[in-house]
Amino acid sequence: MKTQVGIIGAGPAGLMLSHLLHLEGIESVILENRSREEIEGTIRAGVLEQGTVDLLNATGVGERMMREGHLHHGIELQYNGIRHRVNMHELTDGKSIMVYPQHEVIKDLVAARLEAGAEIYFSVSDVTLHDVDSDSPKIRFKHDGGEEELSCDFIAGCDGFHGPSRKMIPDAIREEKQQIYPFSWLGILAETPIANPELIYSNHDRGFALISTRTPEIQRHYIQVDPSDDIANWSDDRIWTELKARVETKDGWKLPDGPIIQKNIVSMRSFVCEPMQYGRLFIAGDAAHIVPPTGAKGLNLAMSDVQVLKRGIETFYQTGSTDMLNRYSEIALRRIWKAQRFSSWMTTTLHRNFSHSSFERSIQLSELEYVTSSRAALTSLSENYIGLPLEWESPKSLLV
């Protein structure tokens, strides 16, 4: 088997990269260790930045998103029992976010790739990478009981944090930077009506809570819990009691409850691998970075990664130049670190760290008071939440 770009992973990064390359007439083959049913059926949250919405629409895969997604012009920050709306639409010259789950994005991209005749191998196993520092890298894998080898010009490792691609970058040049947070999220899917027109981020003495939405009938909510906690300790009644305590307001707003159809606990961490390339191997998405979900950046960073990678590959086939490919890590990491900064700020500002002193707790609440009373601070929050632009050249300082 031979192709121009071998892509490992059929998540948002791998599928969108294949789609973008196809639009430029560049061939690719996708290898995925899960079945199609599994990747399309694994329910994942999704807050899409303006740039991601624009990308999906511009490349012809945004029709269902625009029909079924929920367009939000802002979010609400809550502390001390009072809610403060952040009008991001106004503060960013008309930009907005789209609440549209990640697995729905995957469904749309899979359908588009298969309709275009793409080669996607689902349920592969024993994937290994070879000769990535040569001009003819190879991927070996098993599929339908047989051993296969895919020769390609480039390999895109879009295979998530636990995939084999990142570890092919030699230890001597690979630096992995990580931050583990002292709390986790307990998330639920519940059969209730929509609780609020926009997302609610609540800082409470008992811990953080997030009120989100999924469909008109099913909602997604989260509460901060201890990382060592067990989901078995959380009955449905206990979850609703805790959620209501953390999001109900002084003016009497009440959270509607209902049957919980799914619940789980997820850890909170930040992770970045530098560099994101070695030889003819380039990693993207969760293979290269993880962000805590507070800032809603995971899928969006994957989409920006592959736009940079696509441009580098396109330039190579058009001109033979590797200059853009050589700068892939440099360009992608600028946006990644800014998203990490914002996600870290959102996480530490909104979550209750129970090891903090009363002084530190008061500083946290003062930070929220400043943000919600300063147009400059609200604009900064909005610009980051809506999504910063890709910087193809080094940014220039505004300081003189």
Side-chain angles (χ1 to χ4, degrees):
M1 298 171 60
K2 184 169 178 60
T3 192
Q4 290 174 293
V5 182
I7 300 173
I8 306 174
L15 289 165
M16 178 53 80
L17 177 61
S18 180
H19 180 58
L20 292 173
L21 293 173
H22 165 71
L23 296 177
E24 301 300 332
I26 300 170
E27 296 177 353
S28 65
V29 171
I30 302 175
L31 308 176
E32 170 56 50
N33 64 359
R34 297 167 297 169
S35 68
R36 179 180 180 182
E37 292 72 23
E38 187 177 355
I39 67 169
E40 293 185 346
T42 302
I43 297 175
R44 299 284 299 273
V47 174
L48 308 185
E49 296 175 349
Q50 180 72 65
T52 299
V53 172
D54 293 344
L55 176 67
L56 293 169
N57 283 327
T59 58
V61 288
E63 180 180 351
R64 193 165 70 92
M65 169 193 68
M66 297 304 294
R67 185 173 66 250
E68 299 179 10
H70 299 269
L71 191 67
H72 289 192
H73 289 160
I75 61 172
E76 296 199 58
L77 298 179
Q78 180 176 327
Y79 59 94
N80 293 333
I82 300 173
R83 207 164 287 165
H84 307 260
R85 182 169 186 264
V86 183
N87 189 339
M88 296 181 173
H89 191 258
E90 175 190 334
L91 293 163
T92 60
D93 296 325
K95 295 179 181 178
S96 56
I97 56 170
M98 180 75 73
V99 177
Y100 188 63
Q102 177 173 307
H103 60 281
E104 302 296 347
V105 175
I106 287 175
K107 288 178 186 177
D108 296 339
L109 286 169
V110 168
R113 296 307 300 121
L114 293 177
E115 184 179 352
E119 290 185 85
I120 306 178
Y121 291 82
F122 295 104
S123 302
V124 306
S125 62
D126 299 328
V127 176
T128 57
L129 291 72
H130 304 269
D131 305 324
V132 297
D133 56 350
S134 74
D135 291 342
S136 183
K138 301 172 182 63
I139 309 171
R140 294 181 185 139
F141 61 99
K142 291 182 181 178
H143 185 252
D144 287 342
E147 296 186 358
E148 305 281 356
E149 181 178 275
L150 176 65
S151 297
C152 41
D153 297 331
F154 302 99
I155 296 176
C158 306
D159 46 354
F161 181 80
H162 298 290
S165 297
R166 185 177 68 256
K167 298 301 182 183
M168 292 301 298
I169 303 175
D171 292 347
I173 66 170
R174 187 182 78 245
E175 184 177 6
E176 299 186 355
K177 303 175 180 180
Q178 184 165 256
Q179 170 71 42
I180 305 296
Y181 295 94
F183 29 74
S184 294
W185 274 14
L186 189 160
I188 65 167
L189 279 176
E191 294 178 342
T192 74
I194 292 175
N196 197 62
E198 296 172 333
L199 278 69
I200 302 169
Y201 289 82
S202 177
N203 177 306
H204 192 274
D205 284 343
R206 300 167 71 114
F208 169 78
L210 171 62
I211 302 302
S212 184
T213 187
R214 188 61 70 249
T215 71
E217 300 82 22
I218 298 177
Q219 315 314 322
R220 185 73 162 168
H221 305 323
Y222 300 91
I223 53 173
Q224 173 188 342
V225 297
D226 189 276
S228 62
D229 213 333
D230 189 322
I231 195 66
N233 298 328
W234 288 87
S235 67
D236 291 4
D237 285 344
R238 184 186 178 194
I239 291 171
W240 284 120
T241 297
E242 201 62 36
L243 265 169
K244 290 177 179 181
R246 298 184 192 189
V247 300
E248 291 180 355
T249 59
K250 290 181 177 179
D251 62 6
W253 185 89
K254 302 292 184 182
L255 176 68
D257 60 21
I260 294 176
I261 58 177
Q262 184 188 87
K263 55 185 174 182
N264 65 308
I265 294 177
V266 295
S267 61
M268 301 280 284
R269 60 182 170 141
S270 300
F271 171 85
V272 178
C273 174
E274 296 182 348
M276 296 166 58
Q277 62 193 101
Y278 175 68
R280 291 292 185 97
L281 167 67
F282 302 84
I283 61 174
D286 286 358
H289 43 75
I290 303 288
V291 288
T294 330
K297 295 301 171 196
L299 181 150
N300 297 291
L301 284 180
M303 293 297 183
S304 60
D305 289 349
V306 297
Q307 289 180 77
V308 179
L309 184 52
K310 169 260 180 183
R311 183 178 288 192
I313 293 172
E314 177 188 12
T315 300
F316 172 83
Y317 285 118
Q318 288 178 345
T319 69
S321 172
T322 60
D323 288 350
M324 182 63 70
L325 282 171
N326 293 340
R327 296 179 57 218
Y328 168 65
S329 290
E330 170 204 340
I331 296 170
L333 283 167
R334 279 204 298 269
R335 193 172 196 273
I336 289 163
W337 276 115
K338 288 177 181 177
Q340 290 284 9
R341 181 207 68 81
F342 176 68
S343 297
S344 176
W345 178 84
M346 286 280 286
T347 302
T348 56
T349 301
L350 290 166
H351 288 73
R352 180 75 195 273
N353 190 329
F354 292 97
S355 67
H356 279 174
S357 66
S358 59
F359 178 88
E360 291 168 307
R361 173 63 173 154
S362 294
I363 289 291
Q364 184 184 56
L365 293 172
S366 181
E367 172 76 2
L368 285 166
E369 287 186 5
Y370 169 69
V371 168
T372 54
S373 61
S374 165
R375 186 176 180 86
L378 286 170
T379 300
S380 175
L381 188 160
S382 300
E383 287 177 346
N384 281 271
Y385 198 96
I386 292 293
L388 297 175
L390 266 167
E391 296 171 345
W392 297 96
E393 302 300 331
S394 297
K396 295 180 179 179
S397 173
L398 295 177
L399 301 177
V400 293

